[in-house]
Amino acid sequence: MGFLHLERVSKLYGEFAAVRDFDLEIEQGEFISLLGPSGCGKTTTLQMIAGLVAPTNGRITLDGRDITREKPARRGLGVVFQSYALFPHMTVAQNVAFGLEMRKIAKAERDRQVAEILSLVQLTTLADRYPREMSGGQRQRVAIARALVIKPPVLLLDEPLSNLDAKLREEMQFELRRIQRVVGITTIMVTHDQAEALSISDRVVVMEGGRITQVDHPYSLYEHPKNNFISSFVGKSNFLAARAVKETAGVSLLVDNTDLKIPATGNYPGGELCLSVRPEKIRLTDPAGGMLRGSVSSRYFLGNQWLLSVATPAGEISVSVANLGAPPPSEGKVTGLAWNIEECRILAAEQEGILQS
Amino acid sequence: MTGAAIRPSPRLPAPFFLAAPATLLFIGLILLPLALTAVLSFNVYDYSSGVQNRYTTANYLTVLQDPYYLAIFWRTLRLALLTTVITVLLGTPEAYILTRMGKPWRSIFLLVIIGPLLVSVVVRTFGWSMLLGHDGLVNHALAMLRLEPVQLLYTETAIVIALVHIMLPFMVIPVWTALQKLDPTVEAAALSLGASRFTALRRIVFPQATLGILSGSLIVFGLSASAFAIPGLLGGRRLKMAATVVYDEYLIELNWPLGAAIAIIVLLANLAIMLAYNRMVERQAKRRLG
Ligand SMILES: Nc1ncnc2c1ncn2[C@@H]1O[C@H](COP(=O)(O)OP(=O)(O)OP(=O)(O)O)[C@@H](O)[C@H]1O
Ligand SMILES: [Mg+2]
């Protein structure tokens, strides 16, 4: 049994299910990300764990204790809100000390713990500032310090990095992971940024429309997405419509509008299928030597890589090419495309669930 | 015309022209009468021949040395402060409840709070004098409960009750505006850190509404200290406040210079108290809340 356990937790607003049958077991010290598009129920899930929203159904247990109906103050979880929710009329030190004060910890001990946590988040010199006198990244660290100082069993982060600019965001991801490792705290982070989820979590929970669609380690999630939605939401993907055809040796997949056949194993009763290939897995070849042939319809330079869109009989295919040596063919040029057969996923068209991986 | 307005023309004092009507109104209706009152307060008054064309500071000395007037100033200050404190204590929770109300109720209750402003102060004060009178509703209710009747009308209690009733909207509205700007997750953060609902309100929510409470207090204090109809009708002949005593000097004693001197003293005292209070609270609130 996990440290934090959510069993078939649901939240209904009237008829509308913001979260439905959420089942998850989290081990102590794990870093979990909740990933999903806007409105899929991530914040609602987090707030149910924090006790700020009451679940309609289901059970939440923490370390074997049922906390489903417990008040937020009694749960003692650390929460970092999307807007940070710092107390604007208190200094950094007073903000951080608030949780300790509520726990009736003596002043001297309180000051010692505040100083300790502020040095962990590297804010010692700003202890007497008010929140509005600080930058976004500094405020975020205050919010984390305020949540951590009460030594909560679980840290809940609601899109903690979404208000920061790209560069600061990357630094803070690093920082967040460092702090989490030092303290060894079980952490659940909400995000709608897939790169962020992949880069810092132990496991990623993908949600869609209030339900969990996949729970996996970042690498397997990226390499083995369970359905079209996940493979397009986590990273980018090309989808090729295909149908299964019987061969003497077994089954092949024939990509629509082409004569490209991909050998496959397994049984495909429906016939209508979908192949997914990630842009970075595709190589450019000379026009005659590829698996598909097409003309470049657009080409963007992104610094470390080129992003091409190639019009082929199977549809527009995006390809990303590392910036090594000569630039790739420019717009209008004809090129061949190839990839290793084991790099593509076979998914049933318009239907969830994986057929082969 | 439009072209001229867009072209930068430093010589054309357009801002002055635009501000002129309001400035003239302000000078004509406030500064001029005030200046005349100030001058009048230094005139010599003679009971047999009226206002003289000679000047003296005797009016001020009379007022500031006479225990009768000092008692009235003290009462004015005391009742205005008491009214302000009570409206803060009632108005702040009222404003908070208002922000927490759902869709139709909020507008309905806002109307209930503002509604009394649409009725003349004199009418509302008459209402209170009927309720609080010797034969009024309050005493009838007490009699039904077999309790002793109480003397409410013509007491300071009656004045404060009516002042609080009339001043409450001036407190609720600025506090409500300030509370509406707050981020509700800040309160949730306090709860998650172990605060009870009440502690979260006391330590986190209300301190953030300081500027709203400050402006509400200034309005309420200023209006209460210069209230006329309420002490006039509910205080009777005996319990005078600053505005009623000025009225008496002008219209009953006909000693205009003395009335003017009282008016100027009340104005200066009011101004000094409000400015000092404003500076004290605002200096603290500014840095924190911006
Ligand atoms: N109080 C409420 N009443 C009715 N519906 C609500 C309420 N709160 C949230 N919802 C709905 O529940 C769904 C999930 O909301 P939630 O805030 O959990 O989304 P989210 O995944 O955090 O999205 P985002 O990434 O935009 O923050 C949304 O469709 C939202 O409209
Ligand atoms: Mg959200």
Side-chain angles (χ1 to χ4, degrees):
Chain A
M1 177 126 168
F3 181 63
L4 178 66
H5 194 179
L6 288 92
E7 291 168 80
R8 300 182 63 80
V9 175
S10 302
K11 177 68 193 179
L12 303 177
Y13 287 111
E15 292 285 287
F16 173 76
V19 175
R20 187 182 293 258
D21 294 337
F22 194 98
D23 253 315
L24 187 65
E25 264 191 71
I26 299 167
E27 297 304 325
Q28 190 148 20
E30 242 189 326
F31 196 123
I32 299 276
S33 287
L34 298 184
L35 176 66
S38 187
C40 71
K42 306 179 298 286
T43 297
T44 308
T45 306
L46 204 72
Q47 301 220 322
M48 285 194 288
I49 300 173
L52 299 168
V53 166
T56 315
N57 288 308
R59 221 163 78 95
I60 303 174
T61 54
L62 176 66
D63 207 5
R65 182 166 60 104
D66 188 336
I67 57 165
T68 318
R69 303 277 158 215
E70 213 162 61
K71 284 203 168 120
R74 294 277 319 275
R75 300 186 190 204
L77 306 185
V79 189
V80 175
F81 293 85
Q82 191 162 350
S83 54
Y84 307 144
L86 297 179
F87 308 136
H89 58 297
M90 295 186 182
T91 63
V92 169
Q94 287 168 341
N95 262 278
V96 175
F98 187 80
L100 298 175
E101 231 177 291
M102 293 300 115
R103 282 164 178 69
K104 307 221 161 28
I105 289 170
K107 175 104 174 61
E109 174 61 13
R110 209 157 71 204
D111 290 347
R112 197 189 60 73
Q113 292 191 17
V114 168
E116 190 181 293
I117 206 83
L118 284 181
S119 86
L120 177 74
V121 297
Q122 298 165 355
L123 281 179
T124 308
T125 52
L126 302 184
D128 294 322
R129 291 262 187 103
Y130 284 95
R132 63 183 218 86
E133 300 167 333
M134 295 197 299
S135 74
Q138 291 166 340
R139 280 182 218 183
Q140 188 228 2
R141 280 181 284 163
V142 177
I144 292 174
R146 188 178 67 176
L148 281 178
V149 78
I150 58 173
K151 303 209 165 57
V154 178
L155 182 62
L156 304 170
L157 307 160
D158 193 352
E159 307 206 20
L161 307 176
S162 61
N163 294 336
L164 308 181
D165 66 63
K167 186 153 163 41
L168 188 57
R169 188 168 177 153
E170 213 164 287
E171 279 169 29
M172 291 313 294
Q173 288 176 4
F174 227 66
E175 182 77 7
L176 196 58
R177 188 61 171 162
R178 176 186 73 83
I179 295 169
Q180 194 261 343
R181 287 248 169 84
V182 171
V183 183
I185 187 174
T186 312
T187 304
I188 305 176
M189 179 179 79
V190 161
T191 178
H192 57 234
D193 177 347
Q194 47 95 16
E196 187 172 294
L198 295 178
S199 66
I200 57 178
S201 0
D202 293 318
R203 281 193 299 159
V204 179
V205 176
V206 184
M207 295 181 67
E208 189 193 354
R211 289 174 188 277
I212 293 185
T213 44
Q214 188 169 358
V215 183
D216 226 325
H217 302 288
Y219 184 75
S220 10
L221 184 72
Y222 190 81
E223 292 298 321
H224 307 290
K226 270 192 185 158
N227 60 28
N228 290 6
F229 168 74
I230 297 172
S231 63
S232 58
F233 191 73
V234 180
K236 292 199 181 89
S237 225
N238 294 299
F239 296 105
L240 307 177
R243 63 185 69 250
V245 286
K246 281 247 172 351
E247 305 262 321
T248 44
V251 192
S252 272
L253 302 181
L254 177 66
V255 176
D256 288 5
N257 305 325
T258 65
D259 49 10
L260 174 62
K261 274 189 187 164
I262 293 174
T265 52
N267 198 13
Y268 305 107
E272 296 282 310
L273 293 167
C274 180
L275 286 170
S276 114
V277 196
R278 300 238 181 242
E280 73 275 13
K281 309 277 189 190
I282 302 178
R283 296 187 305 276
L284 298 180
T285 64
D286 49 48
M291 295 158 75
L292 283 173
R293 213 177 109 103
S295 67
V296 177
S297 55
S298 67
R299 186 181 75 162
Y300 296 103
F301 180 52
L302 304 181
N304 60 345
Q305 59 176 337
W306 295 86
L307 191 64
L308 275 71
S309 183
V310 181
T312 69
E316 284 282 329
I317 293 192
S318 15
V319 183
S320 79
V321 186
N323 180 19
L324 304 165
S330 60
E331 278 143 14
K333 296 262 166 59
V334 176
T335 179
L337 303 175
W339 59 89
N340 296 338
I341 286 169
E342 59 274 18
E343 301 283 22
C344 71
R345 309 267 142 273
I346 302 168
L347 306 157
E350 300 302 309
Q351 182 200 319
E352 290 185 12
I354 190 157
L355 298 171
Q356 184 218 353
S357 62
Chain B
M1 183 67 216
T2 341
I6 289 166
R7 200 173 342 110
S9 49
R11 302 208 165 201
L12 190 78
F16 292 99
F17 283 130
L18 290 174
T23 312
L24 286 180
L25 204 70
F26 185 72
I27 291 174
L29 296 183
I30 297 177
L31 290 187
L32 208 62
L34 212 58
L36 291 177
T37 307
V39 171
L40 184 65
S41 70
F42 288 103
N43 273 114
V44 172
Y45 177 77
D46 187 86
Y47 275 95
S48 48
S49 47
V51 180
Q52 306 290 305
N53 248 342
R54 285 173 290 120
Y55 295 94
T56 171
T57 52
N59 297 321
Y60 285 94
L61 292 177
T62 316
V63 173
L64 292 175
Q65 284 167 351
D66 190 336
Y68 171 75
Y69 294 113
L70 291 181
I72 290 173
F73 290 152
W74 172 236
R75 174 182 304 129
T76 307
L77 180 67
R78 202 157 34 84
L79 296 191
L81 273 180
L82 192 63
T83 306
T84 310
V85 170
I86 296 175
T87 45
V88 169
L89 294 180
L90 289 179
T92 314
E94 192 172 329
Y96 177 75
I97 293 169
L98 202 62
T99 58
R100 282 311 184 87
M101 275 181 172
K103 243 310 164 37
W105 297 110
R106 183 185 306 175
S107 332
I108 293 171
F109 275 84
L110 198 61
L111 212 67
V112 168
I113 289 167
I114 299 175
L117 293 180
L118 304 177
V119 182
S120 150
V121 178
V122 178
V123 172
R124 281 183 287 163
T125 310
F126 264 122
W128 276 111
S129 75
M130 281 194 273
L131 284 176
L132 300 175
H134 193 69
D135 217 18
L137 203 63
V138 174
N139 273 332
H140 277 297
L142 286 177
M144 280 209 302
L145 297 171
R146 294 177 199 290
L147 291 171
E148 288 288 298
V150 285
Q151 170 70 37
L152 281 171
L153 199 54
Y154 311 131
T155 64
E156 291 187 355
T157 315
I159 297 179
V160 172
I161 290 176
L163 277 177
V164 167
H165 169 228
I166 281 160
M167 298 302 164
L168 208 50
F170 297 108
M171 181 62 71
V172 172
I173 291 164
V175 177
W176 180 60
T177 317
L179 285 175
Q180 263 193 322
K181 290 194 209 122
L182 301 190
D183 176 0
T185 60
V186 174
E187 195 183 345
L191 296 180
S192 80
L193 287 168
S196 65
R197 278 216 103 82
F198 179 71
T199 311
L201 280 185
R202 188 173 57 82
R203 294 279 312 273
I204 305 301
V205 177
F206 292 146
Q208 290 182 78
T210 317
L211 289 178
I213 297 175
L214 167 71
S215 40
S217 311
L218 285 177
I219 300 171
V220 170
F221 182 83
L223 289 179
S224 303
S226 56
F228 174 71
I230 293 170
L233 289 168
L234 298 179
R237 298 288 331 132
R238 215 166 42 77
L239 280 181
K240 284 187 192 152
M241 281 175 74
T244 46
V245 82
V246 172
Y247 176 87
D248 285 354
E249 290 302 336
Y250 269 82
L251 292 178
I252 297 179
E253 305 284 333
L254 296 177
N255 189 347
W256 287 23
L258 193 71
I262 299 172
I264 295 289
I265 290 171
V266 170
L267 176 73
L268 291 179
N270 219 342
L271 209 63
I273 292 171
M274 286 168 67
L275 284 180
Y277 179 66
N278 191 15
R279 282 191 60 148
M280 183 186 74
V281 184
E282 200 159 62
R283 195 177 317 144
Q284 292 174 16
K286 258 278 145 56
R287 185 172 171 220
R288 299 160 167 187
L289 303 171

